Amino acid sequence: MSSVTDADPADWRATARRRLTRARDFVDETDRSALAAVSIGSLALLATLVGFLTMSPLTVVPFAAFVVAVGYGWLRHQALTAHAVTLAMTASTILILGLITVYIFLEAWPVFEYASVEVLGVSVPGLRLFTETLWSPVSEPIGYSLVPMIHGTVMVTVIATAVAGPLGVAAALFVSEIAPPTVRELVKPGIEILAGIPSIVYGFIGFTIISPWASDQFALNGQGTYLFVGMVVGLMALPTVVSVAEDALNSVPESMKSGSLALGTTDWQTMTTITFPAAFSGVSAAVLLGVGRAIGETMAATVMLRNSPALPEPLYNAFYGYETLTSLIAARYGTAHGLQFNALFAAGVVLFVTVLFLSVGSQLVEKRMRRELGGEE
Amino acid sequence: MSETKSTIQTESNPDRPVSTTTGETEEEVRSEWREYAFDGEPKLSVENLDVYYGDDHALRDVSIDIPEESVTALIGPSGCGKSTFLRCLNRMNDRIKSARVDGSVEVDGEEIYQDGTNLVELRKRVGMVFQNPNPFPKSIRDNVSYGPRKHGDIDTGVLAGLLGRSNEEREAELVERSLKQAALWDEVDDRLDDNAMGLSGGQQQRLCIARCLAVDPEVILMDEPASALDPIATAKIEDLIDELAQEYTVVIVTHNMQQAARISDQTAVFLTGGNLVEYGETDQVFENPESQRVEDYITGKFG
Amino acid sequence: MSRVTESALIREETSTLEAIAGVAIGLCALLFALAMAALFEVVTVTDSVAGLPMSNVLGGLLAVVGVVVVGFGAASYRGLVPTEPRASAGAVAATAFSAIWFVVGGLVASQTLGVGLAGGLLGGGLLGGIAFAVTAIPREDVGSTLPAGALALLAGGALLTGVIGPGWSWTPFDLNATFFPPIVVPAVVMFCSLLGGWAAAKAYGGFGARGRHLGAYLLVYLNALAIVAVLVGLVAFVVFKGAPGVFEGVTVAAGAGPSTTVSAFGFSHTVVWPVSWPFLTNGAALMNDVDGVLPAIVGTVWLVVGSVLFAVPLGVGAAVFLSEYAEQGRFTQVVEIATNGLWSTPSIVFGLFGYAFLLPRFGGEKSLLSGMLTLGFMLLPLVVITSREAMLSVPDEYRDASAALGVSKWQTIRSVVLPAALPGVVTGVILGVGRIAGETAPILLTMAGGTFVPGSQTVDVIGGFQFTASPPFVANPALLEATSALPYQVYALVTAGVGGSQLNDPEAFAWGTTLVLLAVVLSFYAVGIVTRYYFRRKLHQ
């Protein structure tokens, strides 16, 4: 698989030549009208893209041309058109997804530039976003520090993971290894359905029931605590952790479990010393995914927190809740202008990069597990 | 005989047994085989055993006594229920949710199908080696010492080390003895800490046998232990089984009739539909079978 | 190694001592349930039961559990009970107990005795060390019962003697939070009963492998039960709170409902529905008898339709290319990892993108179209992932068999691969739609409309198309206007607070909206899961 990319330059050149020959053969062999349809379609699509990016009102013209070209091609040369259209769709998909990534970074850039610091003669953009602690976009002194929000996100995520991680893994063990078949048939889809409860529903219950209750029970000043936001977010991430961890545990071959049981071990011993270690990568991938969900959770945090960026005193005080990265964006996008608006994108970049990192990490970890278990992959 | 050798032998998945109909009534089948008598108490005694998978009647009214310290081969065509029968002897069939077992299985005169059976103790006494080698993704040493560790006989953990209760010598001794018994020691003695997944198929299977021996069982059940192996590895396993019969009661399922003839003292023949058709001394069964159908099977007319 | 007896193949009948351990487990379950009830304010900790304060009763029961657990351990140690304990309770139990006792010791020393942080650490370290030694060094029957039982006894004692009782409160460090008995007593009782129950379950199993098995199973079962209970309780709670609002004014009678006129080829026929359901068919207005969420429902429907129309063809097409035409290699792998990464990207990030990128291109205002596209972007990675998975799981034999018959590649894809992959794609799309239908953050930034939308502002996309002479030639004001959607409406109600004075009953309205949203989203999930079961069953036949 990797041989193609790791090959030396000579090989690479040969490959390129082969590709070129193949392309020429393809052009020679294919019907002229089909080629025309495909080329007109591609050009039109490209023009549509350019038009859209430049906000031209004429964008609709090339788009119509594209539709006509595809329609003609579909009727006359279906196989070739299908190939071309799916290729175009792949390109568009990748383009859209790439566009999102690039665009967020571009929009965040001004504030990174503003907050750059010289370190040992090298200008490090955005450093002050993470070294200062003041968020004050309007009144002097101006500061765009993301530290209070990162602190809030970390607090919420840590608490949420403490809830969702152990409980979710234990529940996954239950569903995959312990539950009798009838219970499993009920609990498994049940947990999947519960993964779908919209976050605003949790937020609404948190806002109307839990926050006032907590503020009353613990004699707090005002409402909004990282502790209860974390617990609610943990509850939301729980079904994700259970589902993914359960898949991982299920992928441990039955022969391995039987092998252990046939030696006279209890189900619990087999679970803890064979099944769980074998599925460990997959289970940790599940927890990582849950962490990702918790970091990106917006609505529950927005409606339950105080929405005033600051650091609590002392730092570990979970009975106070100010702001997370997500709630900052949700609460301020409408009133933000200039650098503050870019700062929201900076928060988006931090979220995006963190979650992407977690996601890629969990995928690599999961791949490793499949390889170790000798399954296909 | 040569025809059977060349047939491609596909093993039925024990989880989803192939339903087969014999076209004969059970009475006809039963009448064909005579009791096999031997001296001494039977190690395993099975009486009127029926197994169902859902609506599938996988094993029909099987009764058989298996003597101690000998090799008993179970042969028969695919889907005849011989693997199912084997899995009843240490209740591994309990893992299959749809399985239902009727009848009686006694180990040393104690009924194992009753409430209060200690499955842990049962499986310690009646060990099992599976068709496909299934080592754990751990080191060779940990594979062998896995059973004794779980039974609390060996503890080399951090805590045991702190408390001075770590018994590493005992572990080393046990690992060496078991691997030698399984004829694997010479091949792995310099890499006991390597992952067992890196061994060859034949080595893995012998490791699984060593793992089973380390628990010190009385009976060893083998479910076609050599079917996934090449001829050289198969020969090693066969020699090993011969050795084991000195100390253990071995019950082995095999597809390969030559193998059964080579290694076993007694042979039981299962034919389609989960019927035990003939049981007796191996020489007798192969050379002078009672039943015409068994003779047909053995001479390769079907199967 | 001190294995007392070689265990027999057949276990004895239940002994009285086993029964005692069983009773202790039952007692723990009772305590747990009582504490749960107290936490949810079904019973009050400061109330009295049979003349005794509730906290004293709980404390007494806890002390009994402690005595039974410790007693069982001692009886087993003296050989009065036939058990099979290991030489030690093990490293995991020792670590857990030392951590628990470290916290207990630290809190008692620093808070109750008031010797400060250093004293607290010292006290905690001392007790933690003792707990570790007591758990690890003696035989398992002592090691796993004594630390648990002692904790139950200590907590029970504190509750019995009123050290923690009505009027007690604790403001730790400078947390700005004060702990009162209504929280602390149930929490302590729950924790101790879990620990006691675990120890009793181990004792019931006679320690050793079987005891550990039972102890662990008790906790795992309880955990599963608690999760299911909490999540089901959550849904039930929303249904309970929302039902009055949703079903207000529902009448079932011939001719009670709104009328629909169907006209075609000059004929028209009017159907009068037999059900009137004002919450689902009204908007919100001053003059309404019952305020409803029709505009939000219609908005959500259009959002879902738009994003599916955008994402599904694009995603499925891309998946066809990636799994059928493209060479499986580094390129497809990277695409796979990237799409997976984007699927887990926080929805607010998509919202931000939509806000900054799409809004200026569609008139500069929040609009339905921007919302559709933003949600479409979110849905796109999922469609690619599930479709690709479904297509890759179509066995290669199918393709080979088709190719061997001389069928072209595209014909094979169209008549073999796509039909075989269809169930997977459909299921994936339904589940994905369930998720985006409930998303709030992206539409908050891209299409949020008013909080209380009158029925007259219900969006009409189909009727909104107009053709114009100047570019872009097609216009649809409905698509370019902000409209409401269910999840946004819930959020707007939260932020509006009590400002909903124009409504008859703002609370019922809010809960009703939440219930409708929950019902819509969960039915997508239910349909998706049922579809998957249906196709799987069909496959296995």
Side-chain angles (χ1 to χ4, degrees):
Chain A
M1 163 196 78
S2 59
S3 58
V4 179
T5 45
D6 296 343
D8 53 78
D11 264 3
W12 184 83
R13 226 171 290 139
T15 315
R17 207 175 302 127
R18 210 168 53 235
R19 288 258 162 91
L20 204 66
T21 323
R22 217 190 287 158
R24 203 176 298 132
D25 288 350
F26 173 77
V27 171
D28 290 344
E29 280 166 20
T30 319
D31 206 328
R32 281 295 143 90
S33 65
L35 269 184
V38 167
S39 2
I40 291 176
S42 333
L43 286 176
L45 191 64
L46 210 63
T48 311
L49 176 73
V50 172
F52 191 71
L53 283 179
T54 55
M55 300 193 217
S56 158
L58 285 168
T59 306
V60 74
V61 176
F63 185 72
F66 169 72
V67 171
V68 169
V70 168
Y72 169 78
W74 189 262
L75 290 176
R76 297 290 304 276
H77 312 281
Q78 206 180 59
L80 183 66
T81 313
H83 194 149
V85 167
T86 54
L87 174 62
M89 283 170 160
T90 311
S92 321
T93 303
I94 295 171
L95 197 74
I96 289 171
L97 302 181
L99 190 67
I100 294 175
T101 318
V102 172
Y103 199 79
I104 300 169
F105 277 92
L106 282 182
E107 284 286 321
W109 184 248
V111 80
F112 274 103
E113 217 166 23
Y114 167 81
S116 56
V117 177
E118 296 257 322
V119 179
L120 304 171
V122 185
S123 173
V124 181
L127 194 61
R128 272 197 295 139
L129 297 179
F130 308 104
T131 50
E132 293 175 349
T133 57
L134 178 75
W135 170 273
S136 171
V138 186
S139 54
E140 291 289 338
I142 301 285
Y144 297 106
S145 168
L146 293 177
V147 170
M149 283 68 82
I150 292 176
H151 173 263
T153 296
V154 168
M155 289 290 276
V156 168
T157 306
V158 165
I159 294 165
T161 310
V163 172
L167 301 190
V169 172
L173 266 182
F174 176 80
V175 175
S176 143
E177 305 293 312
I178 298 176
T182 40
V183 176
R184 190 202 326 253
E185 294 296 307
L186 282 176
V187 170
K188 219 183 136 175
I191 286 180
E192 272 180 298
I193 288 183
L194 292 168
I197 297 180
S199 62
I200 188 67
V201 173
Y202 284 95
F204 186 63
I205 293 174
F207 176 77
T208 52
I209 310 283
I210 298 176
S211 284
W213 176 83
S215 148
D216 188 40
Q217 291 286 329
F218 293 98
L220 303 172
N221 293 321
Q223 294 182 6
T225 56
Y226 287 135
L227 179 66
F228 286 96
V229 173
M231 284 165 73
V232 168
V233 172
L235 201 59
M236 291 171 61
L238 195 59
T240 311
V241 176
V242 177
S243 292
V244 181
E246 199 256 347
D247 280 347
L249 289 167
N250 251 341
S251 68
V252 176
E254 168 64 27
S255 69
M256 227 177 244
K257 301 174 194 169
S258 302
S260 168
L261 288 170
L263 291 171
T265 59
T266 60
D267 288 334
W268 178 247
Q269 285 175 326
T270 300
M271 250 176 264
T272 49
T273 50
I274 300 298
T275 314
F276 190 77
F280 185 76
S281 327
V283 172
S284 30
V287 175
L288 283 185
L289 266 184
V291 171
R293 285 296 293 269
I295 291 176
E297 175 39 44
T298 311
M299 295 326 289
T302 307
V303 299
M304 285 176 76
L305 290 176
R306 293 160 198 247
N307 292 324
S308 56
L311 287 171
E313 250 332 293
L315 277 181
Y316 56 82
N317 186 353
F319 285 94
Y320 244 68
Y322 290 105
E323 192 84 281
T324 63
L325 288 166
T326 51
S327 73
L328 179 84
I329 301 174
R332 282 164 194 268
Y333 75 97
T335 53
H337 299 286
L339 275 179
Q340 190 190 359
F341 189 67
N342 299 126
L344 297 187
F345 274 89
V349 165
V350 173
L351 279 173
F352 181 78
V353 169
T354 318
V355 173
L356 197 68
F357 190 70
L358 283 172
S359 161
V360 171
S362 74
Q363 287 178 63
L364 294 180
V365 160
E366 220 180 321
K367 279 222 162 72
R368 207 189 71 183
M369 175 186 126
R370 297 204 189 286
R371 215 171 35 236
E372 271 172 8
L373 286 178
E376 76 269 71
E377 183 59 50
Chain B
M1 288 277 243
S2 55
E3 291 94 329
T4 48
K5 217 173 181 176
S6 60
T7 49
I8 298 164
Q9 306 197 327
T10 49
E11 171 55 15
S12 69
N13 180 352
D15 293 9
R16 308 186 111 253
V18 183
S19 165
T20 42
T21 43
T22 53
E24 298 173 61
T25 63
E26 281 172 40
E27 267 57 47
E28 283 173 313
V29 177
R30 297 280 302 162
S31 63
E32 282 176 15
W33 70 283
R34 66 186 162 201
E35 290 291 328
Y36 164 61
F38 53 84
D39 299 331
E41 285 295 306
K43 185 74 187 170
L44 298 165
S45 173
V46 179
E47 211 141 330
N48 308 113
L49 190 72
D50 282 85
V51 178
Y52 307 83
Y53 294 114
D55 297 332
D56 243 335
H57 199 162
L59 216 53
R60 290 169 200 265
D61 197 23
V62 173
S63 299
I64 187 171
D65 284 349
I66 292 172
E68 223 173 358
E69 287 169 12
S70 63
V71 179
T72 305
L74 311 176
I75 61 172
S78 292
C80 66
K82 54 195 192 302
S83 287
T84 298
F85 174 75
L86 196 75
R87 292 167 68 92
C88 285
L89 300 181
N90 66 347
R91 288 190 59 174
M92 282 305 282
N93 264 341
D94 290 16
R95 289 289 286 172
I96 302 162
K97 306 290 182 197
S98 63
R100 187 162 60 82
V101 179
D102 278 346
S104 145
V105 177
E106 287 178 3
V107 176
D108 286 330
E110 279 188 292
E111 175 60 47
I112 63 167
Y113 279 96
Q114 60 168 302
D115 292 341
T117 303
N118 188 344
L119 288 185
V120 167
E121 187 58 30
L122 170 67
R123 289 169 186 165
K124 266 156 83 174
R125 284 199 209 170
V126 184
M128 189 165 204
V129 177
F130 294 80
Q131 180 178 6
N132 292 308
N134 56 350
F136 305 131
K138 297 170 181 285
S139 72
I140 294 171
R141 184 200 317 277
D142 286 349
N143 261 281
V144 178
S145 63
Y146 179 80
R149 266 175 206 276
K150 294 297 130 192
H151 301 138
D153 297 337
I154 284 180
D155 191 352
T156 56
V158 183
L159 185 64
L162 277 178
L163 298 175
R165 289 177 187 154
S166 183
N167 33 21
E168 268 156 34
E169 303 88 59
R170 189 169 156 161
E171 183 193 26
E173 192 185 305
L174 180 89
V175 168
E176 182 173 347
R177 194 187 68 215
S178 307
L179 285 173
K180 276 182 175 161
Q181 262 184 306
L184 188 60
W185 175 252
D186 296 337
E187 292 163 53
V188 300
D189 62 343
D190 53 344
R191 47 177 175 144
L192 290 176
D193 290 317
D194 287 7
N195 195 312
M197 294 304 202
L199 296 176
S200 73
Q203 289 173 325
Q204 285 189 358
Q205 192 62 297
R206 276 176 287 150
L207 179 66
C208 291
I209 294 173
R211 185 174 76 184
C212 175
L213 294 174
V215 182
D216 199 18
E218 294 161 17
V219 181
I220 300 174
L221 310 176
M222 295 187 171
D223 190 355
E224 304 196 39
S227 73
L229 306 182
D230 60 66
I232 297 168
T234 304
K236 281 189 175 164
I237 302 273
E238 283 183 12
D239 290 347
L240 180 57
I241 292 168
D242 234 19
E243 292 281 313
L244 293 177
Q246 313 288 322
E247 284 178 68
Y248 304 93
T249 307
V250 178
V251 184
I252 177 169
V253 164
T254 176
H255 246 99
N256 181 329
M257 274 176 281
Q258 289 86 343
Q259 189 177 58
R262 276 195 300 270
I263 59 176
S264 68
D265 302 309
Q266 299 84 233
T267 298
V269 186
F270 287 76
L271 289 184
T272 45
N275 292 296
L276 173 60
V277 184
E278 181 138 350
Y279 177 45
E281 273 177 39
T282 299
D283 297 346
Q284 180 104 39
V285 171
F286 276 93
E287 276 153 30
N288 184 20
E290 285 271 307
S291 149
Q292 185 57 45
R293 296 177 66 227
V294 170
E295 191 170 341
D296 289 351
Y297 174 65
I298 286 171
T299 53
K301 285 195 179 145
F302 79 96
Chain C
M1 285 286 139
S2 49
R3 283 173 80 196
V4 190
T5 48
E6 183 68 28
S7 58
L9 191 55
I10 310 300
R11 209 171 286 117
E12 301 293 315
E13 296 291 304
T14 318
S15 67
T16 33
L17 280 156
E18 260 180 0
I20 291 175
V23 168
I25 298 174
L27 208 57
C28 289
L30 175 71
L31 273 170
F32 193 81
L34 276 176
M36 202 77 146
L39 203 61
F40 285 103
E41 295 171 355
V42 181
V43 295
T44 318
V45 185
T46 43
D47 278 357
S48 53
V49 179
L52 284 168
M54 185 69 185
S55 59
N56 283 18
V57 175
L58 290 173
L61 288 174
L62 212 51
V64 172
V65 169
V67 168
V68 171
V69 166
V70 173
F72 198 100
S76 164
Y77 188 70
R78 298 294 303 274
L80 302 175
V81 199
T83 53
E84 308 163 44
R86 293 280 160 85
S88 160
V92 177
T95 315
F97 275 130
S98 68
I100 292 166
W101 279 97
F102 176 82
V103 172
V104 171
L107 288 181
V108 167
S110 68
Q111 303 297 310
T112 314
L113 306 179
V115 289
L117 183 65
L121 283 178
L122 192 71
L126 194 67
L127 269 188
I130 293 176
F132 190 91
V134 167
T135 315
I137 297 172
R139 226 171 59 180
E140 189 187 11
D141 43 4
V142 175
S144 59
T145 55
L146 192 55
L151 191 71
L153 271 174
L154 181 75
L159 292 179
L160 264 181
T161 54
V163 171
I164 299 175
W168 175 89
S169 76
W170 176 48
T171 311
F173 319 112
D174 21 47
L175 283 186
N176 306 319
T178 311
F179 292 82
F180 295 105
I183 291 285
V184 174
V185 171
V188 165
V189 170
M190 277 165 89
F191 185 76
C192 291
S193 63
L194 277 183
L195 217 56
W198 171 78
K202 273 189 89 166
Y204 181 82
F207 306 102
R210 184 164 176 264
R212 287 176 192 197
H213 174 88
L214 289 182
Y217 265 40
L218 181 83
L219 296 185
V220 174
Y221 261 90
L222 206 62
N223 171 55
L225 197 70
I227 289 177
V228 171
V230 166
L231 293 175
V232 170
L234 202 77
V235 174
F237 184 72
V238 174
V239 171
F240 173 74
K241 293 282 266 185
V246 173
F247 292 105
E248 195 184 352
V250 173
T251 43
V252 183
S259 56
T260 312
T261 308
V262 184
S263 50
F265 309 115
F267 296 97
S268 75
H269 180 65
T270 304
V271 184
V272 180
W273 298 95
V275 184
S276 163
W277 197 332
F279 193 79
L280 301 185
T281 53
N282 283 1
L286 266 181
M287 306 302 289
N288 279 356
D289 290 336
V290 178
D291 290 306
V293 290
L294 178 67
I297 294 176
V298 174
T300 292
V301 168
W302 277 115
L303 261 185
V304 166
V305 169
S307 52
V308 165
L309 282 181
F310 170 76
V312 169
L314 207 54
V316 173
V320 167
F321 182 82
L322 285 172
S323 54
E324 303 297 323
Y325 290 116
E327 240 171 88
Q328 303 300 312
R330 185 140 304 183
F331 171 68
T332 51
Q333 250 179 353
V334 167
V335 172
E336 193 184 326
I337 288 183
T339 43
N340 274 324
L342 276 154
W343 174 236
S344 46
T345 296
S347 54
I348 189 87
V349 174
F350 282 95
L352 207 50
F353 171 73
Y355 182 74
F357 182 78
L358 293 178
L359 253 53
R361 285 169 175 74
F362 298 121
E365 293 294 323
K366 292 184 184 180
S367 64
L368 180 58
L369 189 58
S370 314
M372 284 173 173
L373 285 180
T374 308
L375 290 186
F377 292 157
M378 273 192 72
L379 188 58
L380 188 55
L382 180 80
V383 176
V384 176
I385 295 166
T386 49
S387 310
R388 207 171 108 77
E389 232 163 55
M391 282 168 208
L392 287 180
S393 70
V394 175
D396 270 342
E397 286 84 30
Y398 288 19
R399 297 185 182 94
D400 295 347
S402 178
L405 294 171
V407 178
S408 77
K409 185 153 193 168
W410 166 245
Q411 288 293 340
T412 306
I413 294 171
R414 212 178 63 164
S415 49
V416 177
V417 178
L418 283 182
L422 193 66
V425 176
V426 169
T427 315
V429 168
I430 295 174
L431 291 178
V433 164
R435 182 171 162 198
I436 61 160
E439 275 297 348
T440 317
I443 57 171
L444 171 70
L445 271 67
T446 53
M447 71 158 256
T451 311
F452 305 105
V453 188
S456 57
Q457 283 185 23
T458 305
V459 64
D460 178 10
V461 172
I462 292 172
F465 276 107
Q466 297 160 2
F467 293 92
T468 53
S470 63
F473 306 115
V474 187
N476 189 342
L479 275 179
L480 295 179
E481 261 168 23
T483 183
S484 192
L486 286 167
Y488 173 73
Q489 184 122 7
V490 176
Y491 172 74
L493 288 166
V494 169
T495 45
V498 284
S501 51
Q502 64 179 104
L503 298 177
N504 301 325
D505 186 353
E507 212 194 315
F509 184 74
W511 282 106
T513 313
T514 312
L515 175 56
V516 173
L517 169 66
L518 195 66
V520 168
V521 172
L522 292 196
S523 42
F524 271 118
Y525 271 79
V527 169
I529 288 167
V530 169
T531 317
R532 191 176 57 201
Y533 265 68
Y534 169 76
F535 280 125
R536 271 204 195 138
R537 183 150 302 172
K538 226 171 119 181
L539 203 69
H540 284 306
Q541 263 171 9

